[in-house]
Amino acid sequence: MEYILHLLVVLSIYAILATSLDILVGHMGVLSVAHAAFYGVGAYVATLAVLALRLPFVVAAMLAVVVGVVLCALISLPAANLRDDSLVIATLCVQVVASSVFVNWEGLTRGAQGIRGIPPPVLLGVSFAGPGRFAVLSGLAAIVAVTLARRTTSGPFGRLLHAIREDEVVVLCAGKRPAIVKIVVLCFAAGLAALAGSLFAGYSGYVSPTSFGLLESVLILSMVIVGGPGGVWGPLGGVLLLVLFPEALRFVGIPANVASEVRQILFGLLLIVVTIFHGESGLAPGRVLRK
Amino acid sequence: MLQLFANVLITASVALLVAVSFSTVYWVARFFHFALGGIIVAGAYCAYAVLNLVPSSPILAVFGAALGGGLLGVTLEVLVHRPLRLRGAAGSGFLLASLGAYIVIINSVSLVWGEQVRILAVARLSHVISMFGVRITTVQACEVGLAAATAICAWIALAGTRAGRAFRAVACDAVLARVVGIDAILVHVVALVAGSMLAGVVGLLVAADVDVRPGLGFPLLLLGVTAALLGRPGRVSSLVAGAGIVSIGQNLGAWFFGMQFREAITMLILLATLYLRRRVISAHLSQRVAEF
Amino acid sequence: MTEHTSPLRCSSLEKSFDGVKALRVRDLEFPVSGITAIVGPNGAGKTTLLNALTGFVRPDAGTVFLGNREITHLPPWRIARLGVARSFQEMRLVRLVTALENVMLARPNQRGERLFAALTGIGVAAEEATNRAKATELLRFVGLLDKTSDLAGQLSYGQQKLLSLACCLAGEPRVLLLDEPVAGVHAEVAQEILNLLVRLAAQGRLVVFVEHDFSAVRRVADMVVVMDQGSVIAAGRPEDVLSRPEVVEAFVA
């Protein structure tokens, strides 16, 4: 039972990550491999806020979101006018730099060994330690995040995103500025990723650089792609598949010393197969968009 | 001081070699050939395997590395790139598939040889040469030599031979090249194989210089890609310049901030280039899609 | 400074691409309203002129004025907001959404397109209703009322041209710059579009369109601008200009 609750926590954190990334990738057509960087920023900021600044969890989480948004704004301001392929490479740069900072700025992050002993969140006098209670917290956060994300992908804002995905020139002729919209959406997604990061820190009690590297970014991206980018429930389907399947593998009986490699090989193969499968429709839906 | 210059030259040579390998694919197909990092690693491990079987033959190891790299490149072309092309995938699809391929290669290597660091056991290769107060190893000298040779050969090939000119035409404009009647796909495949073999050898050289580990390829890939993206498609001289700039940046940065920030510095150089370059290209109407 | 009545004019406009001079227009003043046609052989620079006037191409030299305001180096979205709408030779629409949504996208000043309003939903529903009504009106104007819920990508070529026109009108522009609005469509649709242009001009707008078909030009245009090799070689009323020897020669050569 506790295992299932643990899975629920993991699922809800990834739900926030995948849904926020889908706004970028599926709806606005901007591929990013830097999502884990902001996930990590959120985790580390929340950790330091709780441990060093002795802030309560909710405030720490809010601070994490603010820092994530501000950092993203600074990085993306010059990037807004970049062509699509250059933008992807720029996100790669951001991710690698972030990983390097997480590992090497030891004064702040304690480097590769990470930071332990993060206390579980306490809200209104109630402690959310343990999977059971934390699942409530993370579940609620996920519902709020997904709802907010839905608001940006429907209505006039969603229409604008979809237009940017298809043809920025059309948007320009309508007197609108794709560059500004991109920055705003990038920062919004980064903020949600940072929120997920603070939840992670509060739940696991331990943050380290390996959780927030390029591989993690690619994992989140795969959840979006496998589930079906640009739809409504797509990313959540991808989350379910890519969180539960490796857990299921654990029961299959692959020897422990190769489990991690086998998992990653399967994951890499999945990426290849899925991108071939998507083919021309690529990472944006070739199907009808529903409101 | 001179030692710093020597270090810059060595780094630039490695960067140039990887940049040339990367460009053989990027110039033609315009996508981020991530799997190249895997090819580099495969080359290193092939050399390692060969040296374990035939200990005293570095030449055979070189052949092994080139062969391994080339075979892997062809495999990727057949199993990954070609299906993607047939399905009409866009550049982003290629990038992700290439990432997936890289993950598969690295973990396969880990599966067979394990995660631990190994040494390429050829004593003569790490012999130190002392010249003009500068110390470089034999391997490092080979890196510089190979880089120079590659640059010259590539330059001659692109300017002097028919195949080379065809390649350059495709590099500058794949759509136009097809209209004029150059078989872009054939050019692409030949270039891919050459680039893959070269990448395999790079893996061998760097492994001989440092050590053999699964993560060998990634920093090299970043180095080479930055050098390649600093340059312009079709121009070898711009690759050389790019390699030089990246190397200087990396070594200076390492001097000030420490070696551990090398990768970050490389990426910041690339990021700065992307940001600065956008002013030169008018974004709106020259929307170039991965046409290939 | 003299008050210019012309809504759109340019002078000493120059643009080169890779060393080739694509545009070399000395002085060009469009009338206050009515229909002006721009004609010229392929490669004459007609589209480049349109791009330079709407901010998609930065001229190397020269100025473009909208009324008294210089718009030479303004970005395209800014010029669009100043009441200049344009269409493209290659159709630019959002194919995966409906015709109605394409027009609604083109409606300006939408609060719902800001993140805060999108997240909170304040005032969005009412604004959407207004925009939907306006967009429907525009579709009715161009004769696409029955295609409102069809995906733009599924419309016929002629219908897409009409939809483009409706999108241009969504911002209530004073000036319309249309690049080959009737190229490649059936004669009846072409006539429909030309009739619409006449109605728009009658409303006091300036309609400028690039065209290859002389009969269409003679039928609706008040003024013709003839371009060749980047320059304007003649400008005036169709009956005066189109039969001049240098004009005929430009097309034959």
Side-chain angles (χ1 to χ4, degrees), chain A residues 31 75 78-79 81-83 92-93 96 100 104 172 221 225 258 261 264-265 268-269 272 275-277 279-280, chain B residues 32 87-89 92 95-97 99-100 103-104 107 110-111 229 260-261 264 267 270-271 274-275 278 281 284:
Chain A
L31 194 62
I75 297 167
N81 275 322
L82 285 178
R83 271 190 355 242
L92 176 69
C93 294
V96 174
S100 186
N104 294 314
L172 284 168
L221 186 56
I225 295 168
V258 297
E261 276 90 354
Q264 288 194 33
I265 290 176
L269 289 173
I272 296 174
T275 49
I276 294 178
F277 174 74
E280 199 180 307
Chain B
F32 203 103
R87 300 273 301 174
S92 48
L95 181 147
L96 283 174
L99 255 174
I103 293 172
V104 171
N107 282 284
S110 255
L111 213 54
L229 292 178
Q260 68 271 35
F261 285 109
M267 290 288 93
L270 182 54
L271 199 61
L274 291 173
Y275 282 175
R278 71 178 168 97
I281 304 171
H284 311 302

Side-chain angles (χ1 to χ4, degrees), chain B:
Chain B
M1 231 316 113
L2 221 53
Q3 184 66 51
L4 183 64
F5 174 73
N7 289 342
V8 167
L9 190 62
I10 294 166
T11 312
S13 304
V14 176
L16 180 63
L17 288 169
V18 180
V20 169
S21 303
F22 182 77
S23 299
T24 58
V25 171
Y26 185 71
W27 282 358
V28 177
R30 288 284 193 281
F31 75 89
F32 203 103
H33 185 42
F34 232 99
L36 188 70
I39 297 177
I40 294 174
V41 173
Y45 275 90
C46 280
Y48 178 77
V50 167
L51 280 174
N52 272 351
L53 291 173
V54 189
S56 53
S57 184
I59 306 290
L60 216 56
V62 171
F63 272 121
L67 191 64
L71 279 175
L72 190 54
V74 170
T75 310
L76 280 169
E77 171 67 22
V78 169
L79 291 181
V80 181
H81 301 167
R82 197 154 176 278
L84 280 170
R85 257 204 306 275
L86 288 175
R87 300 273 301 174
S92 48
F94 278 89
L95 181 147
L96 283 174
S98 205
L99 255 174
Y102 173 77
I103 293 172
V104 171
I105 298 170
I106 299 302
N107 282 284
S108 304
V109 161
S110 255
L111 213 54
V112 174
W113 279 284
E115 278 267 341
Q116 68 266 42
V117 172
R118 296 165 190 277
I119 304 291
L120 268 187
V122 184
R124 273 189 316 150
L125 285 180
S126 37
H127 179 71
V128 175
I129 307 170
S130 243
M131 275 195 306
F132 314 111
V134 166
R135 298 165 60 87
I136 69 173
T137 65
T138 322
V139 174
Q140 289 169 341
C142 287
E143 286 170 357
V144 176
L146 183 61
T150 307
I152 294 172
C153 289
W155 189 77
I156 294 176
L158 283 186
T161 69
R162 229 179 57 166
R165 277 195 294 269
F167 181 74
R168 192 165 35 176
V170 172
C172 291
D173 195 333
V175 179
L176 200 60
R178 225 176 302 169
V179 166
V180 168
I182 297 173
D183 193 349
I185 294 187
L186 184 63
V187 169
H188 164 86
V189 171
V190 168
L192 173 88
V193 171
S196 305
M197 289 171 62
L198 183 63
V201 174
V202 173
L204 153 65
L205 287 172
V206 175
D209 192 23
V210 186
D211 54 41
V212 190
R213 64 177 74 199
L216 172 74
F218 191 66
L220 294 175
L221 177 72
L222 294 182
L223 190 65
V225 165
T226 307
L229 292 178
L230 276 167
R232 302 221 165 277
R235 295 229 182 94
V236 176
S237 51
S238 69
L239 287 184
V240 175
I245 295 172
V246 167
S247 173
I248 292 173
Q250 222 195 42
N251 280 290
L252 278 181
W255 189 284
F256 285 117
F257 297 106
M259 282 290 270
Q260 68 271 35
F261 285 109
R262 263 181 329 178
E263 269 165 47
I265 291 165
T266 311
M267 290 288 93
L268 285 173
I269 295 175
L270 182 54
L271 199 61
T273 316
L274 291 173
Y275 282 175
L276 292 170
R277 192 177 269 176
R278 71 178 168 97
R279 297 196 183 283
V280 178
I281 304 171
S282 78
H284 311 302
L285 290 182
S286 58
Q287 244 175 333
R288 234 191 188 206
V289 181
E291 269 290 340
F292 201 66

Side-chain angles (χ1 to χ4, degrees), chain C residues 12-247:
Chain C
S12 313
L13 215 52
E14 288 185 22
K15 182 68 189 177
S16 302
F17 292 111
D18 292 334
V20 177
K21 200 136 213 146
L23 207 58
R24 193 179 18 195
V25 174
R26 246 196 320 214
D27 273 302
L28 183 58
E29 209 171 294
F30 290 94
V32 175
S33 66
I35 303 184
T36 299
I38 302 181
V39 301
N42 281 328
K46 310 186 290 293
T47 301
T48 312
L49 176 63
L50 247 55
N51 286 338
L53 292 173
T54 51
F56 281 92
V57 156
R58 292 193 133 214
D60 300 327
T63 55
V64 180
F65 275 86
L66 188 69
N68 277 317
R69 186 194 195 118
E70 185 177 343
I71 61 169
T72 323
H73 295 294
L74 292 185
W77 58 268
R78 196 90 174 78
I79 295 180
R81 285 193 202 173
L82 288 172
V84 178
R86 74 159 295 174
S87 74
F88 294 84
Q89 239 178 322
E90 73 283 9
M91 201 84 69
R92 285 190 185 259
L93 295 167
V94 184
R95 281 160 209 283
L96 293 179
V97 303
T98 64
L100 183 67
E101 285 178 325
N102 265 281
V103 184
M104 284 174 78
L105 173 74
R107 290 282 302 156
N109 296 327
Q110 294 187 40
R111 182 188 298 155
E113 286 174 348
R114 293 182 203 281
L115 184 67
F116 185 71
L119 291 175
T120 55
I122 298 174
V124 173
E127 188 185 63
E128 275 288 272
T130 315
N131 282 328
R132 188 169 296 125
K134 284 261 158 80
T136 311
E137 223 4 81
L138 285 167
L139 286 174
R140 186 203 312 273
F141 179 74
V142 300
L144 285 178
L145 196 58
D146 54 332
K147 298 287 176 194
T148 310
S149 321
D150 285 21
L151 296 184
Q154 288 172 343
L155 298 177
S156 72
Y157 190 69
Q159 289 165 340
Q160 286 177 345
K161 289 265 187 198
L162 287 166
L163 179 58
S164 287
L165 186 59
C167 291
C168 282
L169 294 171
E172 282 155 34
R174 171 90 174 69
V175 176
L176 282 147
L177 298 169
L178 308 173
D179 205 339
E180 302 200 22
V182 296
V185 302
H186 288 306
E188 309 102 58
V189 181
Q191 190 56 53
E192 263 178 68
I193 296 177
L194 291 171
N195 291 343
L196 287 169
L197 296 187
V198 172
R199 282 171 70 182
L200 290 168
Q203 290 169 358
R205 301 182 215 249
L206 169 65
V207 177
V208 178
F209 73 111
V210 171
E211 185 46 63
H212 280 293
D213 181 4
F214 277 23
S215 62
V217 172
R218 271 185 243 267
R219 242 181 300 157
V220 299
D222 315 312
M223 174 165 140
V224 173
V225 172
V226 185
M227 291 187 71
D228 188 24
Q229 295 184 348
S231 326
V232 174
I233 59 173
R237 302 176 56 79
E239 50 270 22
D240 299 331
V241 166
L242 290 179
S243 40
R244 278 193 219 163
E246 65 264 27
V247 172

Side-chain angles (χ1 to χ4, degrees), chain A residues 264-284:
Chain A
Q264 288 194 33
I265 290 176
L266 287 175
F267 174 57
L269 289 173
L270 179 71
L271 266 181
I272 296 174
V273 167
V274 167
T275 49
I276 294 178
F277 174 74
H278 272 292
E280 199 180 307
S281 65
L283 307 175

